[in-house]
Amino acid sequence: MLISTSIAVRQDLNPLSELAFLFADKIKCVDTILQENAYSEVSVLPLISSHIIESGGKRIRPLLTLAAAQLCGEIDERAVTMAACVEFLHTATLLHDDVVDESLLRRGKPTAHTLWGNQMSVLTGDFLFAKLFQLLVQEGSLDILNLFVQTTQKIIEGEVLQISAKATTFVSREDYFGIIQSKTAVLFESALELGGLVAKGTVDQIAGLKSYAHNLGMSFQLIDDVLDYTADEAGLGKPIGNDFFEGQVTLPLIVLLERMAGVSRSLERLQETIVKINRDQADLNWVQILLSEYAVIPTIKTLAEEYAAKARDALDVFSDSRLKDVLMQLTHFVINRCN
Amino acid sequence: MLISTSIAVRQDLNPLSELAFLFADKIKCVDTILQENAYSEVSVLPLISSHIIESGGKRIRPLLTLAAAQLCGEIDERAVTMAACVEFLHTATLLHDDVVDESLLRRGKPTAHTLWGNQMSVLTGDFLFAKLFQLLVQEGSLDILNLFVQTTQKIIEGEVLQISAKATTFVSREDYFGIIQSKTAVLFESALELGGLVAKGTVDQIAGLKSYAHNLGMSFQLIDDVLDYTADEAGLGKPIGNDFFEGQVTLPLIVLLERMAGVSRSLERLQETIVKINRDQADLNWVQILLSEYAVIPTIKTLAEEYAAKARDALDVFSDSRLKDVLMQLTHFVINRCN
């Protein structure tokens, strides 16, 4: 995977891959912690855990924890453990999310529950939650335990709000931003805050890290919701329209409703489409045409770019470094996935 | 509910109701803690939490935590908090169990997921897990946090083993006892251990409490599994045959298989019935006849009585008291539910 001459690599790599390159050894340790702590005598539990841990994704959250620690000082054992804990929480929520939204694909692989059923996804998620808190108890910091408890609660509340925002035309922008804050930005914030905390960052540094994380997470999710209408399946690794077919009402539909209100005879048909229990491919194709007709996507990209700019500003508290530069580039990268 | 003259009450009450009477005020505090800590701005979460907390059951686990604390010393605020934490964990696992085994009734009421769907049951269970650990973090003892982490893991492992023991003739007695130990006895043990710990019980006292809890829990579950074949629905509050129709293979079927092996021409038909995906009422009626023909139930009751006797012996470490007597009676009561 890694090319031997680091210069060549850096020219080729996108910022996420470069983070993975910079912290390759540490991420190996993170993966080891994840594997070792998913152990159970009941062998199906580590089996399912490994499946979802190894399907892996890009490890963006633990990479950000490591980056935060590096920016504030150095990456010690605790920082690596925190990175693993962040990924553990993410993995556990993914497993329950598979049950929750019955998505058929996760990271381009069949989700756990399509292989083992809802029952095992729920129990394996519970098992990973328990293992996460076991790691945190061993770590011994009640403050960090409390941070994970608060983070978990916010993520769950976000999931609940998202369910209540399905197949309805009554989702406001405020509702939407509350949802993506809880379901995405909150864990980004905790990932970086934890790295900063264990590396003994200053109050200003940790505030900067949290602001960077919040704004990066918001722009990341804004673009994710755009990609549900525009991405090619191969690139995204999950089917386009996945959220749409599940009845999700995200910003593209909200903006579209706003723009068609009072000006389009198709508004009523759009509303009927949004509240449909079973939206189909024809609905998606029609909505895609409307989105382009009303120039919705560029507006949302602009919004995402505003968040990205705030994220970059938040890093002013840190002196220039190669790593800071990579984190700056990352704010552009999450947006340009859109193209 | 409570009659004013305690003597009159005591003559009427079964030991479980007497525990509820003895600790009525404390249980009110426990319920208040449960209600207050189930709060969320996302109102559907406390709504579902309240539904399952108020459907309430008999609060046997928190009552046992309070009893353990009383036996070892006195019931202080921490003991009440521990009792609430034990019920919180029980409630969270019930919510996920509703998803897991798709049981249609829980405590005589529709289960959460039949009212709100699997998604909300999973998320509300997660929410209660998070709230439980928030309470424990506030409590501030890493040892107690660790005890809950270990308990949670064992319960989950028991649920997984139970799933793998569905609709198969390859469940050994050892498998079965491992399952009921994890799914029932473990939380009983933790409930009493916690009461003993916060009341500063001696090592011997806590060992006695754990042994009492283990043996009470085992006999409790043995009888529960018998009641699935023999109880009247009104009394049990959940439909008879509930576990049977879900494909559970519990001790009655295991003993029946043992006794019919080699001696009955119906053995093959029983095996076919056990591995059926959809067992029906006719299957249940036929199995009930076999159970009585092969005198299976009395054998299991005897086994439950042996556990109950061990539970009583474990209380020798405590000097005689009215409360100790009630706990002794409780070991008879869990068995006589059978009649």
Side-chain angles (χ1 to χ4, degrees):
Chain A
M1 201 73 91
L2 302 177
I3 304 165
S4 54
T5 64
S6 65
I7 296 108
V9 172
R10 288 187 167 165
Q11 285 165 353
D12 302 352
L13 294 180
N14 67 51
L16 192 50
S17 306
E18 181 157 358
L19 278 181
F21 171 76
L22 289 171
F23 300 124
D25 298 347
K26 306 293 187 186
I27 282 291
K28 279 206 196 87
C29 302
V30 167
D31 288 346
T32 306
I33 294 173
L34 292 173
Q35 292 297 345
E36 286 177 357
N37 286 278
Y39 174 77
S40 167
E41 287 175 3
V42 181
S43 56
V44 67
L45 284 166
L47 186 76
I48 299 179
S49 303
S50 302
H51 168 84
I52 189 134
I53 289 169
E54 283 163 13
S55 57
K58 301 187 175 61
R59 296 276 192 266
I60 182 165
R61 294 160 191 81
L63 284 169
L64 289 172
T65 302
L66 297 170
Q70 182 80 74
L71 277 180
C72 294
E74 59 169 10
I75 300 172
D76 62 4
E77 207 177 301
R78 281 188 86 200
V80 172
T81 305
M82 285 305 109
C85 287
V86 165
E87 188 70 1
F88 240 138
L89 177 54
H90 178 59
T91 306
T93 55
L94 283 186
L95 269 161
H96 282 186
D97 194 41
D98 288 342
V99 175
V100 167
D101 63 17
E102 281 137 29
S103 50
L104 294 174
L105 283 179
R106 164 82 53 201
R107 298 166 168 173
K109 284 195 178 190
T111 58
H113 90 276
T114 59
L115 293 176
W116 290 281
N118 277 345
Q119 301 183 338
M120 288 308 305
S121 289
V122 172
L123 290 169
T124 308
D126 292 345
F127 175 73
L128 292 181
F129 274 124
K131 288 292 192 176
L132 163 64
F133 280 96
Q134 183 175 29
L135 259 173
L136 293 170
V137 167
Q138 287 163 5
E139 189 57 29
S141 161
L142 287 167
D143 290 341
I144 286 176
L145 267 159
N146 190 49
L147 193 151
F148 270 92
V149 165
Q150 301 302 330
T151 304
T152 305
Q153 282 180 33
K154 285 183 199 147
I155 292 170
I156 294 160
E157 289 174 341
E159 297 266 16
V160 172
L161 290 172
Q162 182 170 292
I163 290 170
S164 57
K166 274 189 181 183
T168 167
T169 58
F170 297 104
V171 185
S172 69
R173 281 183 182 234
E174 290 62 32
D175 297 332
Y176 171 78
F177 286 112
I179 289 168
I180 68 172
Q181 153 74 11
S182 300
K183 70 174 268 201
T184 304
V186 160
L187 188 50
F188 275 59
E189 287 170 45
S190 300
L192 280 101
E193 181 178 10
L194 283 160
L197 284 173
V198 294
K200 307 223 173 348
T202 66
V203 173
D204 288 351
Q205 286 177 323
I206 288 171
L209 289 170
K210 285 181 73 175
S211 172
Y212 171 82
H214 168 77
N215 289 292
L216 182 70
M218 295 299 276
S219 64
F220 179 92
Q221 190 57 52
L222 279 167
I223 297 304
D224 225 48
D225 292 338
V226 163
L227 287 171
D228 194 56
Y229 292 93
T230 65
D232 64 294
E233 298 201 10
L236 191 60
K238 62 179 180 179
I240 185 170
N242 193 23
D243 295 345
F244 178 83
F245 294 129
E246 283 168 14
Q248 296 296 338
V249 179
T250 56
L251 196 56
L253 287 180
I254 295 167
V255 172
L256 191 55
L257 279 168
E258 289 171 358
R259 296 198 173 169
M260 289 173 70
V263 302
S264 167
R265 271 184 272 87
S266 304
L267 178 63
E268 199 171 317
R269 181 179 157 196
L270 177 63
Q271 291 166 330
E272 286 161 2
T273 305
I274 288 172
V275 299
K276 264 173 77 169
I277 303 302
N278 297 315
R279 303 175 186 171
D280 58 24
Q281 186 63 48
D283 297 322
L284 178 59
N285 298 344
W286 182 66
V287 167
Q288 285 173 314
I289 291 163
L290 289 173
L291 287 171
S292 119
E293 192 178 322
Y294 285 86
V296 170
I297 302 305
T299 305
I300 296 176
K301 275 192 73 173
T302 305
L303 204 54
E305 272 155 3
E306 289 166 16
Y307 277 107
K310 286 192 199 132
R312 288 188 292 276
D313 295 345
L315 293 180
D316 289 348
V317 62
F318 296 101
S319 52
D320 289 345
S321 69
R322 179 68 197 154
L323 177 56
K324 176 179 172 179
D325 186 45
V326 172
L327 293 177
M328 301 281 254
Q329 291 172 39
L330 187 59
T331 65
H332 296 289
F333 175 70
V334 296
I335 289 169
N336 295 328
R337 293 182 301 155
C338 198
N339 299 333
Chain B
M1 200 76 85
L2 303 178
I3 304 166
S4 55
T5 63
S6 65
I7 296 108
V9 173
R10 288 185 169 167
Q11 284 163 353
D12 303 351
L13 294 179
N14 67 51
L16 192 50
S17 307
E18 181 157 358
L19 278 181
F21 171 76
L22 289 171
F23 300 124
D25 299 346
K26 306 292 186 187
I27 283 292
K28 280 207 196 86
C29 302
V30 167
D31 288 347
T32 306
I33 294 173
L34 293 173
Q35 292 297 344
E36 286 177 356
N37 286 277
Y39 174 77
S40 166
E41 288 175 3
V42 182
S43 56
V44 66
L45 284 167
L47 185 76
I48 299 178
S49 303
S50 301
H51 168 83
I52 189 133
I53 289 169
E54 283 163 14
S55 58
K58 302 187 174 61
R59 297 276 192 267
I60 182 165
R61 293 160 192 81
L63 283 168
L64 289 171
T65 301
L66 296 170
Q70 182 81 74
L71 278 180
C72 294
E74 60 169 11
I75 300 172
D76 62 5
E77 206 176 302
R78 280 188 86 199
V80 172
T81 305
M82 285 306 110
C85 288
V86 165
E87 188 69 0
F88 240 138
L89 177 54
H90 177 59
T91 306
T93 56
L94 282 186
L95 269 161
H96 283 186
D97 195 40
D98 288 342
V99 176
V100 166
D101 62 18
E102 282 138 27
S103 50
L104 293 174
L105 284 179
R106 165 80 52 199
R107 297 165 168 174
K109 284 194 178 189
T111 57
H113 90 277
T114 59
L115 293 177
W116 289 281
N118 276 345
Q119 302 182 335
M120 288 309 304
S121 289
V122 172
L123 289 170
T124 308
D126 292 345
F127 175 72
L128 292 181
F129 274 123
K131 288 292 191 176
L132 164 64
F133 280 95
Q134 184 176 29
L135 260 173
L136 293 170
V137 168
Q138 287 163 6
E139 190 56 30
S141 160
L142 288 168
D143 290 341
I144 287 177
L145 267 159
N146 191 48
L147 194 151
F148 271 91
V149 165
Q150 301 303 329
T151 304
T152 305
Q153 282 179 34
K154 285 182 198 149
I155 292 170
I156 294 160
E157 289 174 341
E159 297 265 16
V160 172
L161 290 172
Q162 182 171 295
I163 290 171
S164 56
K166 274 189 182 184
T168 166
T169 58
F170 297 104
V171 185
S172 69
R173 282 183 181 234
E174 292 62 32
D175 297 332
Y176 171 78
F177 286 112
I179 290 168
I180 66 172
Q181 153 75 11
S182 300
K183 70 175 269 203
T184 304
V186 159
L187 189 50
F188 275 59
E189 287 170 43
S190 301
L192 280 100
E193 181 178 8
L194 284 160
L197 284 173
V198 293
K200 307 222 175 346
T202 66
V203 173
D204 288 350
Q205 286 177 323
I206 288 170
L209 289 170
K210 286 180 73 174
S211 172
Y212 171 82
H214 169 77
N215 289 292
L216 181 72
M218 296 299 278
S219 63
F220 179 91
Q221 190 57 53
L222 280 168
I223 297 304
D224 224 50
D225 291 340
V226 163
L227 287 170
D228 195 55
Y229 292 93
T230 65
D232 63 294
E233 299 201 9
L236 191 61
K238 62 180 181 178
I240 185 170
N242 194 22
D243 295 345
F244 179 83
F245 294 129
E246 284 167 13
Q248 297 295 339
V249 180
T250 56
L251 197 55
L253 287 180
I254 295 167
V255 173
L256 192 55
L257 281 167
E258 288 172 358
R259 296 199 171 168
M260 289 172 70
V263 302
S264 167
R265 271 185 272 89
S266 304
L267 177 63
E268 199 172 317
R269 181 178 157 197
L270 177 63
Q271 292 167 328
E272 286 162 3
T273 305
I274 288 172
V275 300
K276 265 174 77 170
I277 303 302
N278 297 316
R279 302 174 186 170
D280 57 26
Q281 185 63 46
D283 296 322
L284 178 59
N285 299 343
W286 182 65
V287 167
Q288 285 174 314
I289 291 163
L290 289 173
L291 288 171
S292 120
E293 192 177 319
Y294 286 85
V296 171
I297 303 304
T299 305
I300 296 176
K301 273 192 74 174
T302 305
L303 205 53
E305 274 155 2
E306 289 166 16
Y307 278 108
K310 285 192 200 134
R312 288 188 292 276
D313 294 346
L315 293 180
D316 288 349
V317 63
F318 296 102
S319 53
D320 290 345
S321 69
R322 177 68 197 154
L323 177 55
K324 177 179 171 179
D325 185 45
V326 173
L327 293 178
M328 302 283 254
Q329 292 173 39
L330 188 59
T331 65
H332 297 290
F333 175 70
V334 296
I335 288 168
N336 296 327
R337 292 183 301 155
C338 199
N339 299 332

